Every structure is written in structure tokens, then in C-alpha cells.
Amino acid sequence: MYDLVIIGAGSAGLTSAIYASRAGLNFTVLEQDGFGGGQITSAFEVENYPGFHDISGADLAERFKEQAVKLGAKIELSIVESIEKCDDKFIVHTHFGDIIKSKSVIVATGAVPRKLNIQGEKEFTGRGISYCALCDGAFFADRDVIVAGGGDTAVEDAMYLASICKSLTLMLRGTAFRAAKSRVDKLLALPNVSVLYGTNIIKINGDKIVNSVLIKDKNGERSFDTNAVFIAVGTAPATDCLLNLPIEVENGYVVANEDCKTNVGGLFVAGDIRKKPLRQVVTAVADGANALYSAIEYLKDF
Ligand code: NAP
């Protein structure tokens, strides 16, 4: 039986792993994606993580992973389906039928992209609709593309896409960006970028691939030609593996203070899955350290 199982090898989970190795715990990290690294791997550029100016998200994640592995962390490819608590022990069930026992668990599964839930979105996903600019942008080099959303993710996706596409149109449903002003100013200074405020995409149209969207603004509805739509309208916490536990959530996020303790003793949450006001790499790594500190305190009394 492990002292600790860490679920998720993103910024938060890898930080917990770095601290767990240094604390000499018997632990493992379970990650469902072959590469790992979490959401930050799809960021074109990260400029607000102290000590690393202008590093790509993938490179930053790779450094986190290298550091964790160098210190002795074992990262296993595994999809966690559910977690049970029996007496004082946790039983982690994986998609491959494995059963992993542990005294404590840190869940750092992050968040997944939200959908627009409009007609044509599902049908054209992978055929002009994408939730990852860095993964799919190259397919639309020298073409006209749209980014939906006005948060940091949308602006970062747009920065990258503007560097390879012919034209980039950002569509915001509201009248203001949520993203950091410095990044928005940099984006809007680019010659092939334009913004449509107060604009909702209500339908995706195409034949085999996307060729236009139906948009609605204060003047009514109209068609807008495009080759692709990159959807960046926020994220939803990845809590599926917690459904069998009586865990307290609010608006989908797991309730836990800065100590990352949930209402289930011995189970901690770190990163974007936790209810908190600011979701950034720097707050995810802070959670990773705090969750591990709380796990050590818990294990002392086990
Ligand atoms: P976000 O900050 O929640 O922004 C979501 C954007 O999508 C907003 O512009 C929102 O519009 C729009 N939106 C939401 N639902 C919509 C819908 N149904 N139709 C059209 N537009 C919709 O999400 P995010 O950009 O993914 O960022 C998530 C968190 O990660 C944030 O805390 C962000 O700061 C952080 N992050 C940080 C960095 C960085 O620091 N380098 C990079 C990426 C993300 P309204 O404003 O009208 O609601």
C-alpha cells in the first residue's frame, strides 16, 4: 500500500511529486496522458511564471516533469475511473482494471475545455473546430480563423494563431476582455487581428469541414466565412473520478482552503480542480506544495 497516490501530472501534481520525493514518501503519480504536463502544455507562451520569461508551456511542463523524475517520482500511464474510501484506506480503480491502495490521495486532475454547446460544434470537432490552438493551428496556416472567447487562453491562442494564419478574428460575447491587458494590447497591435465584441456564435456550418459560422450581434444574425473556429471559453473542473465520494463541491469545483484539505479525510485537491479565485500555473504549483504538506501532517497520525 502506498502512503500517497497523486492523480494528475500537471503543474500541481508534479509539484506534489517533487515535494513527496524530498519527503521520502512511498508514492506514485497516475497520469492519463502519455506526455503529461497538464493544461499548460497547450500554452504557446508563458510570461507570468517567475524566473522563466517567454517560455513555452510545453517546455515549462517538461522542466517540472524532469525535476520530479530526477528526484525519484514514478509517473504511470493510468486513467483513474473512481476512488473509494474503505475504513481509513483509499482504493483507486483504474480503467485498465487495476486496484491501487493508498493511505492518502492528492487529486490534481485540473480542468477540461468548456464547449459552446451549439449546433455543428460536435459534428465539426476535428474538422475545423478545435479546443487546442497549439495542437491544431498548423492545419490552418495561411487560412482565416476565429477564436471564440476573451480570457487569457483565448488571447494566448490568438497570439499563436495570428503568427501562422492569414487572418484572426476574435469573437467576444461581451464588451471587454478578461485577459491580462498587456497581452491584449500586444495582440491587438498585430495587423491581421480583429475583434468583434458583443458577438455570439450560434451555429457552425460546413460541408466536410467548417466553412462559416452563423453569428448574432445587436444588428441581428449573419453568416461569417471562416476555415476554423478555436473555442477558448473557459474550463470545467475534471471531477469525474470523485463521483463515488461524498465530496463537497461548489459550482463543480472541490471546496478546500489553501491547505487543500477536502471534507474527506486524507483526500486533498490541488490546482484548477480546487475552488479558488485565481487559476494560474503559479497558484497550481503552490497548491501542489500545500497539498503535500497537508498529506504529510495527515500521515503522521495514520
Ligand atoms: P476565463 O478566464 O474563464 O475566460 C473565459 C472567456 O470565455 C471569457 O471571455 C468569457 O466571456 C468567454 N465565455 C464563456 N462562456 C462563453 C460562451 N458560452 N460563449 C461565448 N463566450 C464565452 O477562461 P480561460 O481563458 O480558459 O482561463 C481560465 C483560467 O486560467 C483563468 O483564471 C486564466 O487567468 C488562467 N489562465 C492563465 C494564463 C496565464 O496566466 N498565462 C493562461 C491561460 C489561462 P465573459 O467574459 O463574457 O464571461
Side-chain angles (χ1 to χ4, degrees):
M1 180 164 61
Y2 286 109
D3 293 329
L4 171 69
V5 167
I6 298 168
I7 305 175
S11 310
L14 289 172
T15 305
S16 291
I18 288 168
Y19 278 69
S21 296
R22 286 168 49 80
L25 296 188
N26 172 26
F27 76 101
T28 191
V29 183
L30 306 178
E31 164 59 47
Q32 65 176 5
D33 177 67
F35 176 73
Q39 294 171 85
I40 196 62
T41 53
S42 12
F44 176 48
E45 196 180 37
V46 180
E47 63 171 16
N48 58 354
Y49 188 73
F52 294 88
H53 190 58
D54 283 349
I55 187 168
S56 77
D59 285 348
L60 185 60
E62 189 54 37
R63 287 184 186 221
F64 291 161
K65 202 165 92 178
E66 264 175 30
Q67 190 172 349
V69 170
K70 201 170 167 189
L71 286 165
K74 183 175 65 166
I75 304 173
E76 298 179 75
L77 184 64
S78 183
I79 301 171
V80 173
E81 291 216 315
S82 63
I83 307 169
E84 274 180 89
K85 191 171 182 189
C86 294
D87 302 322
D88 277 351
K89 290 155 206 111
F90 290 94
I91 301 176
V92 176
H93 297 267
T94 78
H95 183 67
F96 307 117
D98 296 328
I99 287 174
I100 300 164
K101 293 183 181 162
S102 182
K103 296 175 189 166
S104 65
V105 176
I106 293 177
V107 182
T109 43
V112 291
R114 275 214 186 95
K115 301 204 169 16
L116 283 174
N117 293 318
I118 54 172
Q119 207 182 327
E121 183 177 12
K122 199 170 169 190
E123 185 187 344
F124 288 107
T125 293
R127 295 190 290 133
I129 298 294
S130 170
Y131 301 87
C132 179
L134 209 58
C135 321
D136 301 325
F139 296 119
F140 302 96
D142 300 321
R143 311 299 294 271
D144 302 307
V145 305
I146 291 171
V147 170
D152 284 310
T153 305
V155 168
E156 288 186 0
D157 286 358
M159 287 292 286
Y160 168 63
L161 292 167
S163 71
I164 55 170
C165 298
K166 186 167 134 210
S167 79
L168 183 286
T169 308
L170 265 164
M171 293 192 180
L172 272 68
R173 67 176 175 184
T175 52
F177 281 91
R178 279 195 201 200
K181 189 177 177 308
S182 62
R183 301 290 284 165
V184 174
D185 291 347
K186 222 166 158 178
L187 178 71
L188 299 188
L190 299 175
N192 59 342
V193 171
S194 51
V195 184
L196 294 181
Y197 294 96
T199 302
N200 281 293
I201 302 172
I202 55 175
K203 190 179 171 204
I204 316 274
N205 293 313
D207 182 10
K208 286 194 175 124
I209 54 166
V210 170
N211 57 29
S212 68
V213 291
L214 185 65
I215 58 173
K216 188 175 181 183
D217 59 18
K218 63 179 182 352
N219 299 314
E221 293 180 10
R222 70 187 160 99
S223 180
F224 188 98
D225 288 348
T226 190
N227 299 118
V229 184
F230 288 86
I231 298 173
V233 295
T235 53
T239 50
D240 285 0
C241 69
L242 296 173
L243 292 177
N244 287 349
L245 290 168
I247 196 112
E248 192 187 346
V249 292
E250 209 176 295
N251 295 325
Y253 293 92
V254 179
V255 176
N257 289 325
E258 208 181 330
D259 59 16
C260 299
K261 291 180 188 169
T262 70
N263 62 314
V264 175
L267 188 129
F268 310 90
V269 283
D272 281 8
I273 190 173
R274 184 169 81 84
K275 178 181 173 274
K276 58 180 177 174
L278 184 64
R279 292 192 174 83
Q280 311 262 296
V281 184
V282 78
T283 64
V285 302
D287 278 5
N290 282 322
L292 198 279
Y293 179 76
S294 295
I296 288 174
E297 290 299 300
Y298 175 83
L299 290 168
K300 275 183 193 161
D301 299 329
F302 195 84

